Amino acid sequence: MPQLDGVRALAVLSVVASHAQVRQLAGGGIGVDIFFVLSGFLITSLLIREKQASGTISFSAFYKRRAARLLPALVIVSLVSAPLFAIVRPYKTDAILIGVGTALLYISSWIRALGISSLGWFGHTWSLSVEEVFYALWPILFSRIVRLGSQRRVRAVVVLVFVIAVTYRLSLTGFGVSGNWQYNAPDARAEQLLAGCVVGVILPYFKPPSRWVINAWRLLVSVSCVFLLIEVIRPNEPINIYQGGSTVIAASASLVIAFLVSYPSCVLATCLKWRLFVWVGQRSYGIYLWHLPLLGLFDLRGWPLRDRVLGCAVALMLTPLIAALSYRYIELPFLRRGKSSRADVHESKSPASSLPA
């Protein structure tokens, strides 16, 4: 689904622009939210396809595919960044070493949520930790849900789980849980991943009953796109994610993704299939991994403005180059090895599917 690669491209570019401190694109967190919804949708879709094809869900095959997809690139960026920061930024080595260690253990989200460390230039790996918790728990829970038998029951239970997650998220604010926890902790981010799961279980069986419903859906998608764009640009105060804003973002992203999958020839999908968007989307994992460490290595704060801009520009130019090399020589070889896993034929159609933020 190349249109979803286009969505990934826009999501990761918003994150990079935010971390590069482009003032006009300050809402990079929206890109992470979209990645979460995408992951929920794609992972659930793959599990459904495997269940339909083989009658069961192989946990070992699933975890092998996830490891082949995610670990190699993460290990490389960690092994390269740690010594480079020790040489170039020795006064920041401690934070980087903590960031590298927690990233490899997939506990970054907990470290940030508890306020132990911001993880320096590896702070962005908190989202990988959130995704890993989802990968660990959702296949097991979903395999129990599908045992209910009828499709209607499965859909109802998944929707119920999503509603519980939304209620829980809203209760965190009511009980005075810190914003730090609500932003970084896996339990607080479950609603966005589960919003994608809801799309995954409903979309295969959803047939708009009339042209009126399709037009209404199209209107909602248009409104959602405008809303998400405004949140990225943030001309005024952004939506309060701690008081229902995160749910609105998840719902908006879900509507757009569902429409793009259902109508791959629509104008929006056609634009997102632009070759450059697809190229960036397929390499979005590498771009996400590398951009922040590179920005840190070329960070020239305290220098004249011209030097700071030059350092940022060099980091941003190196990011897609290194990500492309990572994709070709690290990620794809491991992906090919994982194709022998059950149901991977579905995932291989989009090598960057279910990417973390």
Side-chain angles (χ1 to χ4, degrees):
M1 291 180 282
Q3 67 271 33
L4 295 188
D5 284 323
V7 173
R8 293 188 191 93
L10 295 180
V12 77
L13 289 175
S14 71
V15 174
V16 172
S18 178
H19 287 159
Q21 298 182 344
V22 178
R23 294 181 180 178
Q24 290 76 18
L25 297 170
I30 301 297
V32 177
D33 300 335
I34 293 173
F35 271 123
F36 285 155
V37 177
L38 264 175
S39 288
F41 165 67
L42 289 165
I43 291 298
T44 302
S45 299
L46 291 171
L47 293 174
I48 290 174
R49 292 177 186 177
E50 181 177 4
K51 175 67 176 178
Q52 292 174 340
S54 63
T56 185
I57 295 175
S58 172
F59 299 139
S60 61
F62 175 84
Y63 296 130
K64 286 178 182 178
R65 292 196 304 271
R66 291 296 88 211
R69 178 69 191 94
L70 304 175
L71 270 177
L74 177 61
V75 170
I76 294 299
V77 71
S78 300
L79 293 179
V80 171
S81 296
L84 281 179
F85 270 92
I87 297 171
V88 179
R89 297 279 188 268
Y91 52 90
K92 295 184 178 180
T93 301
D94 291 345
I96 288 298
L97 291 179
I98 294 175
V100 168
T102 56
L104 292 174
L105 294 173
Y106 287 106
I107 58 173
S108 302
S109 60
W110 304 108
I111 298 299
R112 282 173 56 103
L114 292 170
I116 297 174
S117 172
S118 66
L119 309 181
W121 296 99
F122 261 66
H124 62 316
T125 59
W126 71 272
S127 62
L128 309 185
S129 176
V130 171
E131 294 265 3
E132 199 64 22
V133 173
F134 172 68
Y135 296 149
L137 299 179
W138 181 243
I140 298 173
L141 177 59
F142 189 68
S143 68
R144 301 295 187 271
I145 294 175
V146 296
R147 291 180 182 177
L148 295 174
S150 71
Q151 298 171 356
R152 181 175 298 179
R153 289 181 179 178
V154 171
R155 294 196 297 269
V157 172
V158 173
V159 170
L160 176 62
V161 173
F162 168 67
V163 171
I164 292 173
V166 171
T167 304
Y168 174 77
R169 172 67 184 248
L170 294 174
S171 70
L172 294 178
T173 300
F175 285 108
V177 176
S178 70
N180 199 43
W181 181 275
Q182 292 190 55
Y183 189 86
N184 295 285
D187 60 318
R189 289 292 187 161
E191 63 172 351
Q192 294 173 331
L193 288 153
L194 289 168
C197 297
V198 170
V199 176
V201 296
I202 290 180
L203 197 60
Y205 314 104
F206 178 72
K207 296 181 180 180
S210 66
R211 174 62 61 178
W212 183 88
V213 174
I214 296 176
N215 290 335
W217 190 5
R218 183 180 291 111
L219 176 61
L220 286 173
V221 168
S222 300
V223 172
S224 297
C225 288
V226 173
F227 164 73
L228 293 173
L229 178 61
I230 291 174
E231 285 302 301
V232 171
I233 298 175
R234 289 185 178 184
N236 300 306
E237 287 297 319
I239 190 171
N240 191 328
I241 64 171
Y242 310 116
Q243 296 181 353
S246 61
T247 306
V248 176
I249 293 170
S252 300
S254 298
L255 283 170
V256 174
I257 290 169
F259 193 83
L260 290 171
V261 174
S262 300
Y263 301 98
S265 298
C266 69
V267 175
L268 178 59
T270 301
C271 294
L272 291 171
K273 291 177 184 178
W274 184 33
R275 184 174 298 180
L276 180 59
F277 282 161
V278 174
W279 188 93
V280 172
Q282 290 179 341
R283 292 153 185 81
S284 57
Y285 181 46
I287 292 173
Y288 186 81
L289 285 178
W290 283 99
H291 82 279
L292 198 59
L294 286 172
L295 286 171
L297 288 170
F298 289 93
D299 179 33
L300 298 178
R301 294 178 188 177
W303 290 52
L305 177 61
R306 182 183 64 180
D307 295 331
R308 297 200 306 270
V309 172
L310 179 61
C312 182
V314 172
L316 294 180
M317 286 188 292
L318 286 175
T319 295
L321 174 61
I322 296 177
L325 295 173
S326 172
Y327 181 74
R328 180 171 182 177
Y329 296 107
I330 299 173
E331 297 169 51
L332 280 182
F334 279 93
L335 282 170
R336 294 190 181 105
R337 291 183 184 181
K339 283 184 180 180
S340 60
S341 297
R342 291 168 58 179
D344 205 63
V345 63
H346 303 295
E347 188 168 5
S348 66
K349 293 179 181 179
S350 179
S353 64
S354 62
L355 285 179

